Amino acid sequence: METAINIALAGNPNAGKTTLFNYLTGARQHVGNYPGITVEHKQGCCLHKQQGLSIVDLPGTYSLSAYSSEELVARNYIIDSRPEVLIDVVDASNLERNLYLTSQFLELGTPLVIALNMIDVAENRGMEINAEKLSTALGVPVVPIIARSGKGVDQLLDTVIATARAEQPPQPTILRYGSDIDQALNEMIPLIRDRDLLTGSYPDRWVGVKLLENDEQVLAQVREREPELSLRLEQRCQEVTDHLQQTTGVYPEAVIADHRYGYIKSIMRRNIVTKKFVGDRLYTSDRIDKVVTHRLLGPVIMAGVLLGLYAFTFSSSTFLVSLLESFFGMLSTTVDTFLDDGPLKSMLISGVIDGVGGVLGFVPIIMFMFFGIAVLEDSGYLARVAFMMDRIFHSFGLHGSSVMPFIVSGGIAGGCAVPGVMATRTLRSPKERMATLLTVPFMNCGAKLPVLTLLIGAFFADHQARYMFLATLVAWVVALCAAKFLRMTVLRGESTPFVMELPPYRIPTINGLMIHTWERTWQYIKKAGTVILGISILLWAMMTYPGLPQEEVAAFQEQRQAISQDLQRNGGNDRQTALEALSARENSAALRHSLAGRIGIALEGISQLAGIEWRTNIALVGGFAAKEVIVSTLGTAYSLGDVDPDASDSLTQRLANDPAWNPVVALAVLLFIMFYAPCFVTVVCIARETSWKWALFSMSFNTLFAFMMAVGVYQLGMLLKLG
């Protein structure tokens, strides 16, 4: 087999790029972050006719202007990594808009193959596209495909391999931008070429265009390498800007964009697209949207979809969850049988099995939840949710683009606040971005799901789906109210307008759903087996050491011997029960005396206002590291505490039977966990995006706000005698 060809997939959002990537790579892919930037990227491989292909899925972007992190990452990867072939995935049903990004690839001069995707959608809309004419007009290969079914993909890969093996590298396409800009470029290009200014990375004309577009990244590179030449080039750019402002009232970047669209229109006029049907016509997506995004019916349908998602999740996962609980119970019993009492046995049972096992026990729920979300995402419905929520967001001082960070963070339970925080980079208004960034941690991320499921399952088992739906609704309401408060106080300012493109509805592919579900579930399992395992063992040690003083151990031992002697003489269940109760008291005393126990007891003076007892405090402190730790720590604390440590009851049963807990306490704890300080990784991410001042503000503001809510709910509930 020959050396693998390096390929990158690029294109607009919703053009089917990731669908093509999943079809090509299947399970042969991994997810990571681009160096220095927390933007997710996928890399995989495939084999075609004995030729290996290494494929990178770049972030979806509309241009290479580097206004957002996605645009910057896509451009930098193409420039720095220099893929042997760039596959530009173009939505055939929105050809003119998609070709704007294509025109920039052509200017960049990278080896390019256009995958004309969703030909079937275009045909359903009465459009017939002549791929050969389009290829001739653009000067690059164009291959019609249907990524969902794989139609045309073999021909695409044949073309990619042929392009990679071509002897002559492609030349950058030269577009004309009008007399003013073209004249400036003619003056700037010789200076750029003579000084070899960035020409090792970019075509010389492209550097000039970027300077006229006031591209911050290119400007910074030019200033660093050639300070004196930079002044001359920037002065010439400013002259062009001033002239255009005086004569037409626009900036150079607007003129450049207009001429790119003019170039695209000139191509489209060559009878490349033939419309079979004449007159106005509602497409299937439009017909559905008339109902789904209706001002009144839309929110009702959205609520029904979310409720259905949770009902599906819990009804489908019940058997598997009970199976896993039985497995970990059996594992705990096995370890207890074959190991002698001691620190190793305690760590394995209380730290590993009851801790990590408690987290892994929710894997079926997480898996089915992610599957449902993947269906909504791949079908195009999540984009409709964002569209509908925009109307509400403006009234709370946020931008419509804030919707997606909220959804990514867990607006439909199961996301993560870290990519949600990073997604706020697309917001242009600094204050809207800050308000969004500070409130996305209020969403029910995937880390909170096991905790919510645990408490809802223990105290509201008859209405799990309903309570999970209410938890999602409360998260949105609280986040929006908090955003409104921030926008009225520390982040005052006007909301900016929002424009959004709705992708057509699509039937999700089984392959795509399986890949998306497995990726997210595996990340959860991997985290439970690494981060959560490490923290669980650390917290077990904190809940075990220092042990009881020798005199207290001796006192318990004397009582145990006395009860045992009495039991041998007289027998009876009462004395056996007394022996078990003594062990429970000793366990509880040891936990109270431990480092973690002392911390939990110290906080109990305040936390008891919300009905939160000391063992739960230990879990909540651990939750600052990662929210899943709350479940594992509760499992460890109740395994080491005043219950039978050898009992095989699940943590859900232990909480439900504990006198310190009741539905009101559970509701107060649930609200506190939903809204208190973000996990440590999210805090670091907020600090990187803003400053440590705002990161610390997020921790303190969220925790204080969550505690006030928990106190209010607990005190009111107990006053009404609901506990």
Side-chain angles (χ1 to χ4, degrees):
M1 188 179 70
E2 299 181 37
T3 305
I5 297 173
N6 294 318
I7 298 170
L9 295 180
N12 288 183
N14 303 310
K17 179 174 54 62
T18 301
T19 303
L20 176 60
F21 177 78
N22 289 338
Y23 181 86
L24 292 174
T25 61
R28 301 175 299 278
Q29 56 180 259
H30 66 270
V31 180
N33 289 323
Y34 290 96
I37 299 179
T38 312
V39 173
E40 185 183 272
H41 92 289
K42 296 180 181 178
Q43 188 165 354
C45 60
C46 75
L47 184 66
H48 180 70
K49 296 181 179 178
Q50 301 304 310
Q51 173 62 62
L53 302 171
S54 176
I55 307 169
V56 170
D57 184 16
L58 297 176
T61 175
Y62 292 106
S63 74
L64 296 180
S65 299
Y67 289 131
S68 69
S69 58
E70 287 79 8
E71 293 168 344
L72 184 62
V73 162
R75 191 174 82 186
N76 285 353
Y77 185 87
I78 294 168
I79 296 300
D80 299 334
S81 300
R82 295 186 180 278
E84 293 173 72
V85 180
L86 179 66
I87 299 179
D88 179 16
V89 182
V90 169
D91 179 357
S93 62
N94 288 293
L95 185 60
E96 190 168 339
R97 174 183 54 73
N98 277 240
L99 288 179
Y100 184 81
L101 179 62
T102 305
S103 68
Q104 295 175 75
F105 290 145
L106 293 172
E107 288 182 281
L108 205 49
T110 188
L112 188 67
V113 173
I114 294 176
L116 196 60
N117 192 27
M118 292 188 277
I119 285 292
D120 53 337
V121 176
E123 289 175 352
N124 289 337
R125 295 188 174 187
M127 300 164 61
E128 188 175 309
I129 301 173
N130 191 318
E132 291 183 8
K133 283 187 177 181
L134 182 60
S135 175
T136 302
L138 295 173
V140 294
V142 176
V143 182
I145 67 166
I146 303 175
R148 288 179 62 254
S149 64
K151 183 178 179 180
V153 171
D154 285 343
Q155 184 185 349
L156 174 67
L157 295 182
D158 289 340
T159 307
V160 166
I161 294 171
T163 302
R165 293 172 178 171
E167 296 181 1
Q168 291 294 330
Q171 295 300 313
T173 300
I174 296 176
L175 303 185
R176 300 300 175 186
Y177 298 115
S179 57
D180 293 325
I181 289 179
D182 283 348
Q183 183 179 343
L185 285 173
N186 290 335
E187 296 173 15
M188 295 164 66
I189 288 172
L191 297 175
I192 294 169
R193 190 179 297 150
D194 292 344
R195 297 287 186 92
D196 198 21
L197 187 59
L198 305 183
T199 52
S201 300
Y202 311 108
D204 46 22
R205 183 180 176 85
W206 196 86
V207 174
V209 170
K210 286 295 150 189
L211 291 174
L212 285 164
E213 286 184 320
N214 198 32
D215 187 292
E216 292 182 4
Q217 190 194 34
V218 173
L219 275 170
Q221 291 177 318
V222 170
R223 287 167 183 163
E224 182 182 353
R225 297 193 185 189
E226 294 283 350
E228 293 183 8
L229 178 59
S230 173
L231 289 174
R232 292 178 60 186
L233 294 173
E234 288 183 60
Q235 183 179 358
R236 184 68 183 96
C237 292
Q238 189 60 48
E239 290 174 2
V240 176
T241 301
D242 293 341
H243 176 71
L244 289 173
Q245 280 286 293
Q246 291 171 3
T247 55
T248 59
V250 297
Y251 288 94
E253 49 262 48
V255 175
I256 291 170
D258 285 344
H259 279 78
R260 282 182 183 142
Y261 277 117
Y263 165 73
I264 294 166
K265 286 185 181 296
S266 69
I267 290 174
M268 299 296 288
R269 289 195 186 103
R270 302 181 187 183
N271 294 323
I272 287 171
V273 179
T274 305
K275 295 198 175 183
K276 299 177 183 176
F277 307 108
V278 181
D280 294 333
R281 180 173 176 265
L282 276 179
Y283 307 130
T284 304
S285 289
D286 300 324
R287 292 194 188 98
I288 297 172
D289 281 339
K290 283 177 72 69
V291 178
V292 170
T293 62
H294 189 272
R295 187 175 294 273
L296 298 177
L297 278 178
V300 175
I301 293 172
M302 182 173 68
V305 168
L306 294 184
L307 194 57
L309 171 65
Y310 296 132
F312 162 76
T313 298
F314 289 112
S315 62
S316 303
S317 60
T318 302
F319 174 73
L320 292 176
V321 169
S322 61
L323 203 63
L324 280 175
E325 286 180 350
S326 300
F327 169 75
F328 285 113
M330 182 181 65
L331 192 61
S332 180
T333 304
T334 303
V335 172
D336 179 54
T337 303
F338 287 98
L339 287 181
D340 296 329
D341 291 343
L344 177 61
K345 177 179 175 178
S346 175
M347 184 195 72
L348 288 176
I349 293 177
S350 298
V352 177
I353 298 174
D354 289 340
V356 176
V359 176
L360 290 177
F362 293 102
V363 164
I365 293 174
I366 298 295
M367 181 177 66
F368 282 105
M369 181 74 74
F370 285 153
F371 179 83
I373 292 171
V375 171
L376 299 180
E377 189 175 13
D378 291 0
S379 66
Y381 182 73
L382 279 191
R384 272 73 187 177
V385 173
F387 175 78
M388 287 185 288
M389 291 300 295
D390 170 57
R391 303 166 187 165
I392 300 171
F393 269 48
H394 272 286
S395 61
F396 285 90
L398 293 177
H399 187 265
S401 295
S402 303
V403 179
M404 289 315 294
F406 273 76
I407 291 176
V408 168
S409 300
I412 298 177
C416 177
V418 173
V421 168
M422 304 303 294
T424 61
R425 290 178 174 181
T426 57
L427 275 72
R428 300 290 185 259
S429 166
K431 292 184 178 179
E432 288 174 342
R433 178 174 183 259
M434 188 66 71
T436 305
L437 182 146
L438 292 173
T439 50
V440 291
F442 285 149
M443 296 293 102
N444 292 329
C445 65
K448 296 177 187 175
L449 271 181
V451 194
L452 301 184
T453 304
L454 171 70
L455 296 178
I456 291 171
F459 298 97
F460 313 103
D462 294 336
H463 307 286
Q464 283 183 294
R466 192 179 305 170
Y467 273 91
M468 188 64 82
F469 170 73
L470 288 173
T472 301
L473 191 63
V474 169
W476 279 96
V477 171
V478 169
L480 289 174
C481 290
K484 184 67 173 178
F485 172 76
L486 293 172
R487 294 286 278 140
M488 291 173 63
T489 54
V490 293
L491 298 171
R492 291 178 183 170
E494 294 294 324
S495 296
T496 53
F498 172 61
V499 178
M500 180 183 182
E501 172 207 351
L502 293 179
Y505 287 98
R506 304 186 185 97
I507 299 174
T509 63
I510 296 298
N511 187 47
L513 293 176
M514 292 299 103
I515 289 173
H516 291 153
T517 303
W518 171 246
E519 281 176 355
R520 295 166 181 174
T521 306
W522 173 243
Q523 287 177 358
Y524 177 83
I525 295 172
K526 191 165 59 174
K527 191 174 183 181
T530 53
V531 176
I532 308 303
L533 175 61
I535 296 174
S536 295
I537 293 174
L538 175 63
L539 288 170
W540 166 85
M542 292 177 65
M543 286 186 275
T544 304
Y545 300 102
L548 284 172
Q550 283 300 116
E551 57 270 19
E552 290 191 40
V553 174
F556 277 112
Q557 189 63 31
E558 288 178 7
Q559 294 180 54
R560 185 174 288 105
Q561 287 176 353
I563 296 172
S564 297
Q565 290 171 0
D566 188 33
L567 184 63
Q568 287 176 355
R569 286 193 302 268
N570 304 311
N573 293 329
D574 291 344
R575 291 169 182 79
Q576 181 64 41
T577 304
L579 198 60
E580 292 175 356
L582 179 65
S583 295
R585 288 200 303 273
E586 184 178 7
N587 290 333
S588 180
L591 181 58
R592 283 176 175 272
H593 191 264
S594 70
L595 177 59
R598 293 173 187 178
I599 294 172
I601 292 169
L603 293 173
E604 195 174 34
I606 299 173
S607 67
Q608 64 185 359
L609 294 172
I612 302 174
E613 50 97 61
W614 61 280
R615 282 174 299 186
T616 308
N617 285 339
I618 300 172
L620 295 176
V621 171
F624 277 102
K627 294 296 183 285
E628 301 99 328
V629 171
I630 295 172
V631 174
S632 62
T633 309
L634 282 173
T636 302
Y638 278 83
S639 177
L640 293 170
D642 57 353
V643 293
D644 179 5
D646 299 330
S648 60
D649 294 345
S650 69
L651 179 57
T652 302
Q653 293 170 316
R654 292 178 183 179
L655 292 180
N657 296 332
D658 193 279
W661 285 81
N662 59 53
V664 174
V665 172
L667 201 57
V669 173
L670 190 147
L671 287 171
F672 184 79
I673 291 170
M674 283 173 62
F675 301 120
Y676 85 115
C679 68
F680 179 71
V681 177
T682 303
V683 171
V684 172
C685 186
I686 292 173
R688 287 179 177 173
E689 291 295 302
T690 55
S691 66
W692 275 106
K693 179 188 75 173
W694 284 109
L696 294 174
F697 172 82
S698 176
M699 290 180 65
S700 55
F701 174 77
N702 290 21
T703 303
L704 180 62
F705 180 78
F707 184 68
M708 290 172 62
M709 285 192 69
V711 170
V713 167
Y714 175 73
Q715 296 296 338
L716 181 62
M718 297 308 290
L719 185 66
L720 297 175
K721 298 182 179 180
L722 299 175

